[in-house]
Amino acid sequence: MKKLILLSSITAGLLFANGYKVPEQSINGLALSAAYVANANGADSAYYNPANMVFNENKSSYEILMTYIYLPKVTFKNNNGESYDSRKEEFLVPQFHFSSKNFNGWRFGVSIVAPAGLSKRWDDIIPQAGAKEFTLKTIELNPTVAKQINNNFSMAFGIRAVKSEGTANILGIKDNGDGTTTPLYSQYLNGTSVDFGWNAAVSYQNDNRDLKIAATYRSKINLTLKGNASGYYLTNLLLAKNPTLPLTANTYKNFNTSGRVTLPIPAALNLAVAKTFDKTTIEIVIERTFWSSYKKLDFDFDNPFVDALFGTSKPKDWKDVNTYRIGITHKCSDKLTLMVGYAYDKTPVPDSTIDFSLPESDKHIFSGGIKYKYDDRLTFGFSALYAKQTDRKASIYDPVSGTYTKGEFTDGGAFLMAFGIDYAY
C-alpha cells in the first residue's frame, strides 16, 4: 500500500542512520555512535552482540531507557528560487534490554527496540513534487540465546519480530505558471504488518579480556504492509495512460481501496575489534548494510483504475554502503565512565531516485555519554548524539504528473538524548 512510499526512504520516527535503519538503541550505543559490538556488555549486549552475554558477570541485568529525538527542518530550494520547509519533529522512544545469568554455559536475552523509522512532514505544498507527510513506525521484539564454546569463544542466535505502521499523505499539484495551481491527485495511505527475521553473532575475547573481536549479522526483513488508500485523481491523468478507459476527461474521481507493498529492512553485517589500554577501550566497527535489495517500490491496489494510475513500479536502485564507526570508553573511576563516538554514514540513495519522503545524504555523527554506578546493582546513564547531514542537489521525478522538480536539500540531520537505568542482581 502506497503509504509505504514513506518507507521508500524508512527509522522510531527517526532519520539518523543510512536509509531508514536505526542502530542507536541503548545508552552505550548512542554514546558511542553504535561503535559498540566487540565491547558490548551488560543488558544491551543482548541486542548489539548477544554472543557477548556469556562474558557478562553472572547476574541478570536490565536496561530501561527513554530516547528524545529532535529532527530539525529540511529545506528544499527549488531552482526557480522558491524555498520549501519540512516540519520540525520531536519524538520520545522507549527501549528495553535484558540479559540473563549463566545457565551451564547458556545465556538468554531479549530486547525491545525501534529498528527503523521515518517521519517527514511538509507543511509547504511543493508543486509537481507530490509530498505532504511520510511516517513509518516500527517496534521489534528480539529474543536471543548465547552459548559459550570455551573460555575465549561464544556464539549466539536470535529471532526478530517487527511490527510496522506507515502513513503517507501525498498531494500532486501542477504549477500553471500564472500564479495559480491545479490539483492533480491526493492520496491518504495507511497500513500495518508483522514480519520476521533473525540475527546471529560470534565473539572472541583473549584470556586477559583486553582484546575483543566480533561479527554480527542481522537478516533482511521484508515489511509486507497492507492497508487502505483513499483520495481523488484527475481523470485526464488516467486517460493519458489509457485513452480507451470509460471515463470523462477533466473530472475528479474519488477512490477508497485496499492495497499492499513490500519494503525491506536490509541485512547488515558488523565487523568489530576493541582493544583496552589500562582504563581506556577503543573500538572500531565497519558496518556493511545491504541496501541493494531495495530495487523498486511496487504497489498493488485492488481498484484497477487506482492500480493503473498509482500502481506503477517505481525504481529505487539503492546501493550497498559502509558505515565507519569509532568509540572510546574511559573508566575515570570505579563509579564513573565516560564515552565518546564518531561515525561517517554513507547514504544508499542514488541521485536518480532521491525524493521528498527521504531527503537523504551522507552524515557525520558525533556522540558522547556518561554512566554513574550508584551501587553494585544500580547504574544511571545519559548520552547525546548529533548527526550533521550534508547538502544535496536533487532532480525529483513524479511519475503520475510526468514532471521533474529540481533543486537542493539543505539543513536536516538529527539531535538525540537518552537517559536510562541499568539494574543487575
Side-chain angles (χ1 to χ4, degrees), residues 76 78 84-85 122 124-131 171-173 356 405:
F76 180 74
N78 199 315
Y84 305 91
D85 292 330
W122 297 84
D124 291 338
I125 296 175
I126 305 171
Q128 302 174 331
L171 300 177
I173 297 173
F356 288 92
T405 301

Side-chain angles (χ1 to χ4, degrees), residues 112-401:
I112 301 174
V113 297
L118 165 71
S119 183
K120 192 53 58 188
R121 292 180 290 178
W122 297 84
D123 286 332
D124 291 338
I125 296 175
I126 305 171
Q128 302 174 331
K132 188 65 175 175
E133 176 187 356
F134 306 94
T135 300
L136 174 76
K137 299 177 182 179
T138 65
I139 184 169
E140 175 179 342
L141 176 65
N142 182 200
T144 52
V145 58
K147 172 63 177 176
Q148 185 166 2
I149 306 304
N150 55 38
N151 186 56
N152 305 107
F153 288 94
S154 63
M155 59 189 303
F157 181 80
I159 299 295
R160 308 174 63 196
V162 177
K163 181 178 180 181
S164 57
E165 177 182 358
T167 301
N169 185 0
I170 305 167
L171 300 177
I173 297 173
K174 179 182 178 182
D175 188 343
N176 297 322
D178 57 1
T180 64
T181 59
T182 299
L184 300 177
Y185 59 90
S186 174
Q187 304 168 65
Y188 180 81
L189 310 141
N190 184 265
T192 60
S193 73
V194 177
D195 304 284
F196 297 90
W198 57 275
N199 65 292
V202 293
S203 280
Y204 165 81
Q205 298 189 7
N206 66 358
D207 292 337
N208 295 328
R209 303 301 190 231
D210 61 358
L211 176 64
K212 304 173 183 179
I213 302 172
T216 66
Y217 181 81
R218 292 186 173 274
S219 74
K220 180 179 75 170
I221 298 179
N222 284 323
L223 303 180
T224 56
L225 289 111
K226 300 178 181 178
N228 297 316
S230 61
Y232 65 83
Y233 55 86
L234 193 61
T235 53
N236 19 355
L237 289 175
L238 192 54
L239 287 168
K241 289 192 171 187
N242 188 347
T244 65
L245 291 174
L247 296 171
T248 302
N250 300 314
T251 62
Y252 289 98
K253 193 83 170 178
N254 294 324
F255 68 87
N256 193 322
T257 186
S258 58
R260 61 208 57 83
V261 69
T262 298
L263 293 168
I265 296 178
L269 172 68
N270 282 273
L271 302 176
V273 58
K275 175 64 178 176
T276 299
F277 304 90
D278 192 15
K279 296 182 179 181
T280 302
T281 299
I282 300 175
E283 178 162 352
I284 296 174
V285 178
I286 299 176
E287 181 177 14
R288 182 70 167 175
T289 306
F290 299 98
W291 278 113
S292 59
S293 61
Y294 192 16
K295 299 183 183 302
K296 62 182 180 179
L297 189 62
D298 194 3
F299 304 105
D300 181 15
F301 296 97
D302 290 348
N303 183 310
F305 288 168
V306 175
D307 195 59
L309 187 57
F310 301 119
T312 303
S313 176
K314 183 178 181 180
K316 304 307 293 183
D317 297 325
W318 286 21
K319 55 188 177 182
D320 297 341
V321 291
N322 292 336
T323 302
Y324 304 94
R325 310 180 187 276
I326 183 169
I328 301 174
T329 303
H330 179 71
K331 288 186 67 66
C332 301
S333 66
D334 290 340
K335 289 185 174 293
L336 185 64
T337 300
L338 297 180
M339 296 166 283
V340 294
Y342 168 78
Y344 178 62
D345 200 17
K346 292 284 291 181
T347 177
V349 184
D351 291 342
S352 59
T353 63
I354 190 171
D355 60 23
F356 288 92
S357 59
L358 186 64
E360 167 80 350
S361 64
D362 296 346
K363 301 179 189 68
H364 295 277
I365 300 173
F366 307 90
S367 61
I370 184 171
K371 275 196 166 179
Y372 179 77
K373 188 174 182 179
Y374 180 76
D375 57 29
D376 287 342
R377 292 190 175 187
L378 189 61
T379 300
F380 298 97
F382 172 82
S383 56
L385 177 148
Y386 171 69
K388 171 59 178 175
Q389 185 165 300
T390 59
D391 296 345
R392 184 169 186 183
K393 294 187 181 299
S395 179
I396 302 169
Y397 178 67
D398 180 1
V400 177
S401 64

